[in-house]
Every structure is written in C-alpha cells, then in structure tokens.
Amino acid sequence: MNNWIDPFRNPAVADVLAGRIGDLGRQLAVRRPGPIRIMEVCGSHTMSIARYGLRDLLPPQVDLVSGPGCPVCVTDTGYLDTAICLARQGVIIATFGDMLNVPGSDTTLGRVRSEGARIEVCYSPSEALAHARQNPGREVVFLAIGFETTIGPVISLIDPARTEGLKNLSLLVAFKRIPPALALLRADPELAIDAFLCPAHVSAIIGAHAYDFLTGPKGIPCVIAGFEPLDILIGIDHILQQKMKGEARVENLYNRVVRENGNLRAQALIDRILEPVSTPWRGLGILPDSGLALRPDYADFDAPRKLGVPLKTGVPPTACRCGDVIKGKLHPPECPLFGLACNPDHPVGPCMVSAEGSCAAAFKYARLALSPSNCVVHQPD
Amino acid sequence: METIQLAHGGGGYLTHELIRAEILSRFGNGPLAHLPDGATLPNPGGTLIFTTDSFVVQPLFFPGGDIGELAVYGTANDIAVCGGRPLWLSLAMILEEGLPLATLRRVLDSIQRATTRCDITIVTGDTKVVPKGQCDGLYLNTAGIGVRRPGFQPGVNTLRTGDVILVSGTLGDHGAAVLAARGQVPLLNGPRSDTGPVQNLVESIGTHAPHIRFMRDPTRGGLAAVLNEIVEGLPLGIRMEEAALPLTPEVRAVAELMGLDPLHLPSEGRIVAVCAPEAADAILASWRTLPEGRDACRIGQVTGDAGRVILMTLAGGKRLVDQPRGELLPRIC
C-alpha cells in the first residue's frame, strides 16, 4: 500500500522549502511594503499549520490569516438554539461531536444531554440511520452542518431512508458553500488578502475551476493544497512564486485528490436534493446563495418544517470576537477573551470549541509565542 | 444460556453458589479460602504502596486484552511505577442482570492468568448485581497493596534540567485498539492493546533505581497528560522530538483516521520514566532485554521551558503538547 503520509512530512524537504519561501519573501519585500497576507480558508489547514509549527518556518514577510473554513465556527447561534430546543422536546439529536460544547444563547447541547436529553455523537452520518431504525417511536434529527465536503455524505442518508420507509429521520440543515464566502472576503479592503490557500477536500468536490472567478487580471492567486506540512509549504511557495511573476492563477497542487472539475457524482447528488439559499454565517452576516437547503421534494426530511419548529434567531455572546477571527481580521490571541475567559474547557465562542477552530488551534498548539498572561489558564499555586 | 440473575447478588443461596463455583474455584487457595469478611495479611516489611482503580472499558474484550486482565495489570502497574512490588489485590465486581455466565467466566479466567503472571494474590472481594440497564455488562474495581523496592525514591521535586525522558515501548496502542474495536473505524489489521504488566521492567532497573526521578504508566490522557502533570507548576519543562516517538503504523493510522493526537491515546503496559542522564543508556539496555521493553527508547529531555511540554515537529517547527480536553475517549479503561 502507498504511504500518503510520511513523504509529506519529510523534514529535509521541509527545510529546503522553508529556505526557498524565506528567499522569495525577502525578494518580494523589496518590491512592496508590508507582508503578503495569505488566507488559509480551511480549518484543517489552520490545525495542521499549528500542529506542525509551520509559522516558525516562515519569514516575517508572510502572514498566514485563518479564514472561515470551520463549519462549526460559522454556524450561527440561532441554529444551536433550535437544536437545543428540539433536544429538550424529546427528539434524538444525532451530531458530530464538535457541536456538543458550542455555546447557544444560554446553554450547550452537552449540558442539555447531562440534563437527560438524548444526544448521540456520530463519527459517520450513516449512524443516524441506525439510530432511527433502533428508535422507531422517536424522531431522530441529524445536525446537518458543513461545507461541500460534508454535504454529500450527509444527504446520502436520504435515499436509503426513503427506500426503507424510515419516517422518523430528518435533518436540521445549515449547509454552507465556500465560494460565496471567498468572494466576500476577497472584496473586503480592510482585509487586503493577497492570496487564498484553497481548501483541500472542499476542492475535491467542487473542483479547481470553482475558484476561477477569483483569479485573472484583477484577481489573486488561488492555490489548492493538501493538509500535510509539505503540502502547505509547497502551497505557500507557489503563491509567492505567482506573486513574484505578477500572476493570479488557480493552481491545483493537491492533484492526488482534487480534479479540475471536482466530483461530478457528488455535485449531481447535491443539485438533485438541495437548492441555493441565503444563509447567515457567524461573523460574516447573511450571504446570498451561500447556503443550501432541501428542495421541496424532500420537505419530509426538513426538521423545522416536519416538526413545526422554526429556526430561531440567536444572540451571540457580546465580548466574543469570533466573528472577526473568522473573517481573518483578528488573530486569536488578539481577542480579549482568548485563554482567559475563553478556553477549550470553557469556550465562549465556537472558534474555541471546534477541532478545526482557529482559537482552538492557537490555544492547543501555539501558545508558545504568546504573552504569559494568555498562556496559562490555571495558574499554579 | 445461563445468565446472571438479581438473586446472584442477593446474599443468599445463589450468591454462595456463584462465589463457590466461580471465585473460590479460581482464587480460593490463599486468604480467600474460608471467605472471611476481611483479609488478614502478614507485615511484609518496608514502605507500603496502596492504590485503587475502577474499570468500565467498553467493549469488555478487545484485540490484545479484556477488562479482566486490565483490572489486574492496571492496579499492579500503578504499584510498580511507584517503585513497588505488587503483593495483594482486592476484586470487586458489579454485574448487570442478564450478563451471560460464559462472559463472566471468560473474564475471571483472564483475571486468574493475569494474577499468576504478576505473582499477585486476590485476598478479598465483593460481588453485586444491579437490574438490567443500570450498568453495562460488568464493571470491576481492584485495589492493591505492594511494598517499595529498595533504592526507589521517585518524585518530581528531584527533576533537573538535562534529565532524560524514556518510554518502555510504543505509545497509544491500548486506546487505538479499543477505539477500533468499537467499530467506529472498520479496520482489517487494526492495532492491538499493549495491556500487560510492567513490574519486570521496574525490577530490571535494579541498581539504577536511585537515578529514577519519576515513573508513571501513561494510561488515561496518554503521554501528553503524564508529561504535563510532571511539569505543572515547576520551573522546568520538557522538549521532545516528534521523530523519536515510538508509534506503530496501526496506531498512527487510527489516530489519523479519527483526527486524534496519538500522544493523547492511553497505553496499559508501558512506563514513562524520567532519569538522570548518566543512567539512561543502562536502563534502556536492561529494558530492551525484556519482550515488553524491546521498543524502549529515549524521547526527550527536561529543559528550562517552565511548565511547558514542547514537541519539535517533523516539519522543523515546534508546538505545544497540551493536555487532552473534552470527552475524548470515554470508557477506555
């Protein structure tokens, strides 16, 4: 079997790449003031950058900014409030584990579970089918959040459930599409993003061409890279090379997984079952056509319609700056709550909860570089 | 199918039958013989070590081990890493009504094999039965008494900069095996638990015992939890090389698939030791002569990075090794 991991963590190659990135960074600094701001869109990139300490290898001219690519982080408070309300009404909630500790307006799914609500953590959406079969008398609602990567596996529950005649399974949908968010971030003059390190697995579904609209004469480089440390370093290297040549192209460096046109089967499935809608993103507001909702033919799987519980409008915590972190306007340690009132054991905002959240990544792996006041949560006696 | 009934825990005839047939037949040669209310034990001399642990692992049987041997080795190992030689064990069982008797027998057979291997005697015990649904199969509790071996005086207050961190084998095998056994990751050749005794490893340290500053078995929370506990509140830290960490391909595969840090996965038959640099090679050499120590290696050293555990990553960067947080791995032991 091929080893797809170790070659992409090779320290000698990392060293060579870091040297080249340093050279390119210095050459670019002669041409233009200020650092090159590269947004890594995807939460798995954010985690990998922190886990391998990649910032240590970059010159000061390269500034990595974390983007909105953590599905838990961009899910708005109202969605959680709706899920919590359903759980309290006796519905079985099936969910990925990350959602348990995300604060709603006044509590979390984890806390309502300890009060007796039934919440099943799933590693795979197909486990929701099993819960529905085992509990014929109770409604099972799967928390259907995620980007293009996750959407396919989640909605692929629907056909088997219909064929089987399962009447007690539905979805609470808050799916999101990455390209509309990138368009908004690209247009924000305050952010001044110089290039996107495009997500790996989202691109496997939507294809490399999905970023074409961001490139061209007035565009910026969009480079698709995998999640291993060398993938990311090579991605940064190619972004800087494009910058040196004054180019703005889509480059697919993750071609062991990503095709130019993406996964056509998944795209067809999504198109058959879902339709574009405007949807709220935490931190970004309501973006037109940035969400996907169930088409009318599948209304019997739409939990709010089926159960008569409309989506709520939530109240995000006031001092939390997750919105600015998601937009890349704030590095996690710059939030006044970071590491103090907000830490993984007592998260205030979703960026501290999710395994892919920028604040969780910074807290977990990268507190080394921070000021002592933000480093230690439990000061030893 | 014969199953456990509530009456098996009622204290009457069925209880007596169960204990006679299943417990005394296996463990009745020592102080347990006439079922006294408590064990009367001779004074073994020296400093005593006393510890207890409960076992709720799910599933009860997993590749490389089961709840029975886990309950023996878990407590015996806690005594061993305190520098002790395990002597006596208590065994308390909470059984769920309807548990197949065959399952209980399989667990008790495993306990018997493990106590023989550790040369530890079960001297007292208890059996309770709870109604169906009020526990999951069976839970075990063991408490153990041991006596400290000569020369061992471990304690974090003896740590110094330059001390060496050793591990006696690969890391995270138990956690990965139990997770894989739950069927959340379908694997053909998955990891096997390292459940086993560490007392021979401790004994093999022999005359180097005074050079051991600290020993622990990296169970719940894995290596990351142990190392963070060591440096918490100290003006010292720990630095490790990612390239030096002994991980099997199977454990790495499970960790990658499930998005877990293998440093957070528990082991149940390993030692993490901090020792004086001059003794490191000798201790490693003696560990490697034992089958359970063949993969022993040095993974890092004590530094001045106050209170922090730092990993020098394969890619050449560095990162913090944090305590595991949240409900990472419920019912792993």
Side-chain angles (χ1 to χ4, degrees):
Chain A
M1 203 181 88
N2 287 325
N3 183 333
W4 291 107
I5 294 180
D6 293 328
F8 295 92
R9 296 180 186 174
N10 184 312
V13 182
D15 198 41
V16 171
L17 282 169
R20 212 159 77 186
I21 290 168
D23 290 342
L24 286 167
R26 280 182 287 279
Q27 289 170 39
L28 279 163
V30 179
R31 295 192 187 181
R32 52 164 272 178
I36 309 284
R37 282 168 66 80
I38 301 174
M39 175 172 275
E40 90 272 4
V41 175
C42 176
S44 297
H45 277 141
T46 303
M47 255 315 162
S48 207
I49 288 163
R51 178 174 166 193
Y52 293 99
L54 298 186
R55 281 197 173 79
D56 295 344
L57 306 182
L58 301 178
Q61 296 88 355
V62 176
D63 188 11
L64 291 180
V65 186
S66 301
C70 155
V72 172
C73 303
V74 296
T75 300
D76 86 324
T77 316
Y79 179 89
L80 279 153
D81 290 346
T82 312
I84 288 163
C85 169
L86 288 170
R88 284 180 163 154
Q89 288 178 10
V91 159
I92 298 174
I93 297 285
T95 176
F96 296 126
D98 281 5
M99 294 292 277
L100 278 190
N101 295 319
V102 182
S105 293
D106 52 19
T107 185
T108 64
L109 285 166
R111 262 179 253 146
V112 298
R113 182 175 69 174
S114 65
E115 291 157 16
R118 178 128 174 240
I119 293 161
E120 298 287 349
V121 171
C122 304
Y123 276 91
S124 159
S126 62
E127 292 170 45
L129 279 173
H131 289 303
R133 283 184 203 116
Q134 288 157 13
N135 298 278
R138 279 175 82 173
E139 183 72 14
V140 174
V141 174
F142 188 82
L143 300 189
I145 64 156
F147 299 120
E148 288 88 340
T149 331
T150 324
I151 294 173
V154 173
I155 59 174
S156 63
L157 296 177
I158 289 179
D159 287 341
R162 258 202 187 162
T163 312
E164 223 179 285
L166 273 179
K167 300 281 185 213
N168 61 329
L169 177 66
S170 54
L171 308 179
L172 184 59
V173 174
F175 291 132
K176 292 187 169 54
R177 298 171 58 226
I178 284 286
L182 296 191
L184 177 94
L185 295 165
R186 162 69 184 124
D188 189 331
E190 200 187 325
L191 267 177
I193 290 173
D194 293 302
F196 284 119
L197 188 70
C198 293
H201 291 160
V202 165
S203 304
I205 305 297
I206 66 178
H209 284 314
Y211 308 104
D212 285 345
F213 75 103
L214 294 162
T215 57
K218 292 192 170 174
I220 57 173
C222 289
V223 173
I224 302 164
F227 295 125
E228 295 301 327
L230 294 194
D231 284 317
I232 294 169
L233 290 174
I234 293 167
I236 294 168
D237 174 54
H238 279 239
I239 284 171
L240 298 186
Q241 287 189 36
Q242 284 198 35
K243 283 284 173 198
M244 282 295 290
K245 296 180 199 153
E247 294 176 344
R249 293 183 288 119
V250 176
E251 272 189 272
N252 176 14
L253 303 178
Y254 196 36
N255 55 11
R256 62 189 191 275
V257 173
V258 176
R259 293 177 201 153
E260 296 305 303
N261 291 315
N263 183 330
L264 299 176
R265 258 184 85 187
Q267 289 170 20
L269 180 74
I270 291 170
D271 193 46
R272 171 164 64 86
I273 294 180
L274 304 170
E275 61 188 2
V277 287
S278 299
T279 197
W281 295 56
R282 198 185 288 242
L284 306 185
I286 295 176
L287 304 188
D289 287 346
S290 67
L292 289 165
L294 290 161
R295 289 186 183 275
D297 284 355
Y298 299 91
D300 49 331
F301 286 94
D302 188 29
R305 273 186 273 186
K306 183 178 177 186
L307 306 173
V309 176
L311 269 173
K312 296 179 181 297
T313 318
V315 191
T318 47
C320 170
R321 302 282 301 274
C322 272
D324 289 331
V325 170
I326 288 162
K327 265 188 286 194
K329 291 189 175 170
L330 208 65
H331 285 303
E334 291 163 359
C335 172
L337 304 185
F338 181 83
L340 302 167
C342 183
N343 61 66
D345 296 315
H346 302 284
V348 176
C351 296
M352 189 57 94
V353 182
S354 166
E356 295 187 353
S358 338
C359 295
F363 188 93
K364 188 169 170 165
Y365 293 129
R367 274 172 295 153
L368 290 173
L370 308 180
S371 69
S373 67
N374 283 21
C375 290
V376 180
V377 182
H378 305 291
Q379 194 76 42
D381 297 328
Chain B
M1 184 176 66
E2 285 181 283
T3 58
I4 292 295
Q5 307 297 310
L6 277 176
H8 280 120
Y13 175 75
L14 271 184
T15 307
H16 185 75
E17 265 302 296
L18 181 75
I19 289 175
R20 191 188 54 75
E22 306 300 341
I23 307 288
L24 288 185
S25 64
R26 291 177 176 84
F27 309 108
N29 286 335
L32 213 52
H34 303 291
L35 294 176
D37 279 348
T40 305
L41 305 169
N43 182 346
T47 303
L48 294 184
I49 295 162
F50 177 47
T51 183
T52 184
D53 214 338
S54 297
F55 299 86
V56 297
V57 67
Q58 193 274 323
L60 299 176
F61 305 94
F62 44 83
D66 59 69
I67 190 170
E69 58 180 305
L70 195 61
V72 175
Y73 297 138
T75 294
N77 289 351
D78 283 347
I79 295 171
V81 294
C82 291
R85 188 162 58 85
L87 297 172
W88 300 303
L89 204 64
S90 72
L91 171 67
M93 305 190 290
I94 296 172
L95 312 178
E96 185 187 16
E97 178 188 18
L99 177 78
L101 203 57
T103 304
L104 178 64
R105 287 182 180 136
R106 204 174 145 196
V107 170
L108 289 170
D109 285 343
S110 171
I111 292 173
Q112 190 179 21
R113 280 192 300 273
T115 50
T116 307
R117 191 168 167 202
C118 283
D119 196 19
I120 193 168
T121 310
I122 292 180
V123 294
T124 185
D126 180 52
T127 305
K128 296 282 193 308
V129 180
V130 296
K132 193 162 186 63
Q134 295 187 10
C135 92
D136 186 6
L138 81 119
Y139 300 149
L140 299 178
N141 172 277
T142 54
I145 295 175
V147 62
R148 180 168 269 179
R149 297 171 190 275
F152 280 100
Q153 289 288 337
V156 289
N157 54 340
T158 61
L159 253 63
R160 289 170 217 168
T161 307
D163 284 350
V164 176
I165 320 291
L166 307 176
V167 292
S168 67
T170 54
L171 297 165
D173 301 78
H174 175 71
V178 172
L179 284 178
R182 287 184 192 161
Q184 284 160 336
V185 200
L187 291 175
L188 283 178
N189 295 304
R192 291 181 65 78
S193 172
D194 56 305
T195 301
V198 300
Q199 64 201 61
N200 291 340
L201 292 163
V202 174
E203 189 176 359
S204 76
I205 293 169
T207 55
H208 301 290
H211 293 293
I212 295 284
R213 317 270 203 229
F214 181 88
M215 268 196 300
R216 184 156 296 173
D217 50 341
T219 54
R220 265 179 306 173
L223 182 71
V226 171
L227 296 185
N228 276 287
E229 280 166 35
I230 292 176
V231 299
E232 192 182 353
L234 290 184
L236 300 171
I238 286 172
R239 227 166 242 247
M240 292 187 291
E241 294 288 336
E242 189 171 18
L245 296 173
L247 297 168
T248 65
E250 291 83 0
V251 169
R252 290 182 58 193
V254 168
E256 292 288 341
L257 276 172
M258 302 191 69
L260 298 171
D261 187 341
L263 300 182
H264 290 168
L265 293 175
S267 303
E268 288 289 348
R270 304 285 185 243
I271 297 178
V272 184
V274 185
C275 74
E278 60 269 28
D281 286 337
I283 293 170
L284 277 180
S286 53
W287 279 0
R288 286 177 185 152
T289 61
L290 297 168
E292 59 267 44
R294 66 178 181 274
D295 296 317
C297 62
R298 76 171 69 202
I299 55 167
Q301 59 179 349
V302 175
T303 62
D305 305 299
R308 293 181 179 187
V309 181
I310 294 167
L311 186 71
M312 310 309 287
T313 73
L314 277 175
K318 60 177 183 287
R319 67 137 159 126
L320 212 58
V321 176
D322 202 8
Q323 299 262 29
R325 291 166 191 276
E327 55 174 85
L328 184 64
L329 306 166
R331 298 188 59 189
I332 202 79
C333 61

